[in-house]
Amino acid sequence: MKAFKAYDIRGVYNKDFTKDDVYKIGFFLPALLNCRTVLIGRDVRASSEEIFTYLCRGINDAGKDVVSLGLTTTPMVYYATAKYGYDASVQITASHNPPEYNGLKISRTGALPVGGDSGLKDLERMVEHDKLNPVEASERGSISEFDAVPDYLAFMNAYLPDISDLNLSVDCSNGMAVLLIKKLLGDSPHYLYDTLDGTFPNHEPNPLVEENVADLKRAVLENRSDLGVIFDGDADRVMFVDEKGRFIQPDIITAVLGKSILEGHFSENESGDASGTGNADAEASAQRPIVLQDIRTSKSTAEYLESLGASVYTWKVGHAYAKLKMRELNAVFGGELAGHYYFRDFYNCDSGILASLMVIKAAAELKREGKTFSSLIDSIVSYAGSGETNFHIEQKSEAMEALKDHFLSSDKEKPEKFMDFDGYRIEFSDWWFNVRPSNTEPYLRLVVEAKTKTLLKEKFEEITAVIRKFN
């Protein structure tokens, strides 16, 4: 089925999947996860109510119960799943996609993600091939409601910084952050698009596309704000604009989180060799807090985090991989280029609002020191980057092999590091690149970074010339 993706179920509703598909998903989900009860939340999209109805109908017809959180953010579903001990949960959402899309994000015990390699492929097979055998009417499951907001706000309030002298502009994107953000930050920030509207009338709820951040940039400058904050549709992602109206690349925010979480708690004497070069002994190295980053992340981020005493671990893109690796490493936090930020103290899950509170904390501390947010960003960024560029290409594997041959066999320069997962990343002394294939579309995704803009331009053009031979 087209809607089954690597990390979730998502597509254009009534085209890529229908209410009948949702019913089957609901019916087979309890068997897949061996659960008696499924926790369900939903976003405000026009189709979410119907999807909720048919998902519940399927679960109930399998003889299992539903606990409904009602309208909610995706991270609140993760929180409730782990805190209250549910073995299965679903958030009905298409996250940052346009309003005609919808989907389901499924989690199991401990808010562990159910992805393509951890159950979604099995669920897809069940939906497509297994026979429906609804229980008798007397054995059907029930639907009850549960309000997790008070506990969730109490958890978040523990991270709320003093913002009394901070001037903020906050774009809620007409999405699910509207439910909670004013209860945390109060009325002092300048809010944009702070009403729930699943048609997203002002801009698409995807802040990674900079045109969707244009209004926030303008508001920051007009309001003379110290920081701009923008959430995506289901509030699992967040991005930022500095006081100059500049959009901040989300992987750099992973470094900013280090300022709030790591700075002042770990010194080089306490945590070993901060450079990460392996000069410290194994015991000292093991004491360093671990931060997870994805394979596309700027070297500026790793170098800054290492200067704070962290050990940085690079891994695959996507929450289905990040959450498992966070647990395996006992990482303190992690971040992705797409604006997902994961926290050990949040059940290793991602939360846009929690990340925003920590970044706001850093901004507030800087202001009290007489410094601007942009000054911190400028002190972190030491590489010129291309951002992520998509190339429409059918021969993805052939193009990737050609790039590998071109750069690994070159006599001109030898790579310092080769990471062979999620595509691959090749690092040289003063530049690097990552190339990875889309799981579902004929695209190659490229990120290039170099010490100078001139070198960046040169290497980007060199890589592009190889890729275009396969167009």
Side-chain angles (χ1 to χ4, degrees), residues 402-444:
L403 279 174
K404 191 186 298 184
D405 291 342
H406 180 86
F407 287 103
L408 292 183
S409 61
S410 172
D411 294 329
K412 293 187 295 183
E413 55 182 343
K414 297 298 181 184
E416 295 183 341
K417 189 179 293 185
F418 178 62
M419 301 181 189
D420 191 15
F421 56 85
D422 213 351
Y424 53 79
R425 173 168 171 156
I426 305 178
E427 294 187 2
F428 299 89
S429 61
D430 52 4
W431 75 283
W432 64 270
F433 75 94
N434 164 242
V435 61
R436 50 191 292 271
S438 166
N439 289 316
T440 58
E441 300 172 294
Y443 287 106
L444 272 186

Side-chain angles (χ1 to χ4, degrees), residues 30-57:
L32 176 77
L33 298 183
N34 190 28
C35 67
R36 172 68 210 177
T37 304
V38 181
L39 181 71
I40 301 178
R42 62 188 185 273
D43 72 11
V44 74
R45 292 166 188 267
S47 57
S48 291
E49 186 67 37
E50 180 173 274
I51 291 173
F52 173 77
T53 298
Y54 279 83
L55 183 66
C56 292
R57 191 172 297 174

Side-chain angles (χ1 to χ4, degrees), residues 163-207:
I163 61 168
S164 56
D165 60 348
L166 202 62
N167 184 344
L168 296 171
S169 289
V170 180
D171 186 341
C172 299
S173 301
N174 295 112
M176 303 316 295
V178 169
L179 288 175
L180 301 169
I181 197 65
K182 287 186 179 181
K183 294 176 181 178
L184 291 164
L185 298 181
D187 295 327
S188 61
H190 306 278
Y191 290 101
L192 287 74
Y193 314 135
D194 55 346
T195 57
L196 286 172
D197 190 334
T199 68
F200 307 114
N202 296 291
H203 59 71
E204 287 187 0
N206 183 3

Side-chain angles (χ1 to χ4, degrees), residues 299-413:
K299 286 189 77 172
S300 298
T301 294
E303 290 174 1
Y304 182 80
L305 290 169
E306 287 165 355
S307 77
L308 297 179
S311 176
V312 180
Y313 191 96
T314 304
W315 193 230
K316 298 177 182 180
V317 175
H319 79 106
Y321 300 112
K323 292 171 183 175
L324 293 173
K325 187 59 70 173
M326 286 280 296
R327 285 166 169 80
E328 178 187 325
L329 298 172
N330 194 29
V332 179
F333 70 96
E336 292 189 325
L337 182 64
H340 290 277
Y341 304 104
Y342 307 89
F343 304 95
R344 183 172 62 194
D345 293 341
F346 191 66
Y347 304 104
N348 297 293
C349 292
D350 44 334
S351 169
I353 290 178
L354 181 56
S356 74
L357 297 181
M358 294 183 178
V359 173
I360 289 169
K361 175 177 180 284
E365 290 173 348
L366 286 165
K367 187 168 186 180
R368 285 192 287 272
E369 295 168 4
K371 300 175 183 177
T372 61
F373 197 76
S374 65
S375 69
L376 173 62
I377 300 303
D378 291 343
S379 73
I380 294 170
V381 176
S382 55
Y383 291 80
S386 66
E388 191 168 53
T389 304
N390 292 322
F391 292 87
H392 189 279
I393 183 171
E394 297 290 345
Q395 296 176 285
K396 293 183 283 188
S397 59
E398 292 86 348
M400 290 179 65
E401 283 300 313
L403 279 174
K404 191 186 298 184
D405 291 342
H406 180 86
F407 287 103
L408 292 183
S409 61
S410 172
D411 294 329
K412 293 187 295 183
E413 55 182 343

Side-chain angles (χ1 to χ4, degrees), residues 81-382:
T81 305
K83 179 174 176 61
Y84 305 117
Y86 287 95
D87 293 319
S89 67
V90 181
Q91 169 71 341
I92 299 166
T93 184
S95 187
H96 60 278
N97 290 118
E100 65 270 21
Y101 283 75
N102 216 324
L104 302 96
K105 292 184 177 180
I106 302 174
S107 300
R108 62 172 78 237
T109 308
L112 283 166
V114 177
D117 298 330
S118 54
L120 271 189
K121 289 179 182 177
D122 295 326
L123 183 60
E124 182 179 18
R125 176 188 53 76
M126 295 164 80
V127 167
E128 291 182 339
H129 301 295
D130 287 8
K131 185 177 180 180
L132 294 166
N133 292 301
V135 299
E136 298 293 331
S138 61
E139 298 175 344
R140 292 188 79 247
S142 64
I143 301 174
S144 59
E145 297 182 355
F146 176 58
D147 183 7
V149 172
D151 284 351
Y152 191 61
L153 285 175
F155 174 87
M156 287 290 177
N157 270 310
Y159 295 89
L160 185 64
D162 178 6
I163 61 168
S164 56
D165 60 348
L166 202 62
N167 184 344
L168 296 171
S169 289
V170 180
D171 186 341
C172 299
S173 301
N174 295 112
M176 303 316 295
V178 169
L179 288 175
L180 301 169
I181 197 65
K182 287 186 179 181
K183 294 176 181 178
L184 291 164
L185 298 181
D187 295 327
S188 61
H190 306 278
Y191 290 101
L192 287 74
Y193 314 135
D194 55 346
T195 57
L196 286 172
D197 190 334
T199 68
F200 307 114
N202 296 291
H203 59 71
E204 287 187 0
N206 183 3
L208 196 57
V209 177
E210 284 203 49
E211 67 186 60
N212 297 329
V213 191
D215 290 348
L216 177 63
K217 290 180 177 179
R218 186 163 45 250
V220 165
L221 295 175
E222 291 176 354
N223 298 325
R224 298 184 179 181
S225 292
D226 302 302
L227 182 70
V229 183
I230 181 169
F231 298 98
D232 74 340
D234 64 336
D236 64 349
R237 296 193 301 155
V238 64
M239 295 173 205
F240 301 89
V241 170
D242 70 17
E243 84 285 351
K244 295 180 179 179
R246 299 184 305 181
F247 178 77
I248 303 165
Q249 193 167 293
D251 53 340
I252 301 301
I253 293 297
T254 305
V256 175
L257 287 170
K259 180 172 177 60
S260 287
I261 299 172
L262 301 174
E263 194 176 61
H265 297 283
F266 302 95
S267 69
E268 290 191 19
N269 290 332
E270 291 172 324
S271 55
D273 173 35
S275 68
T277 58
N279 295 328
D281 60 34
E283 183 178 355
S285 179
Q287 292 174 355
R288 283 182 284 170
I290 298 172
V291 178
L292 188 71
Q293 66 176 21
D294 79 36
I295 196 168
R296 307 165 296 179
T297 302
S298 171
K299 286 189 77 172
S300 298
T301 294
E303 290 174 1
Y304 182 80
L305 290 169
E306 287 165 355
S307 77
L308 297 179
S311 176
V312 180
Y313 191 96
T314 304
W315 193 230
K316 298 177 182 180
V317 175
H319 79 106
Y321 300 112
K323 292 171 183 175
L324 293 173
K325 187 59 70 173
M326 286 280 296
R327 285 166 169 80
E328 178 187 325
L329 298 172
N330 194 29
V332 179
F333 70 96
E336 292 189 325
L337 182 64
H340 290 277
Y341 304 104
Y342 307 89
F343 304 95
R344 183 172 62 194
D345 293 341
F346 191 66
Y347 304 104
N348 297 293
C349 292
D350 44 334
S351 169
I353 290 178
L354 181 56
S356 74
L357 297 181
M358 294 183 178
V359 173
I360 289 169
K361 175 177 180 284
E365 290 173 348
L366 286 165
K367 187 168 186 180
R368 285 192 287 272
E369 295 168 4
K371 300 175 183 177
T372 61
F373 197 76
S374 65
S375 69
L376 173 62
I377 300 303
D378 291 343
S379 73
I380 294 170
V381 176
S382 55

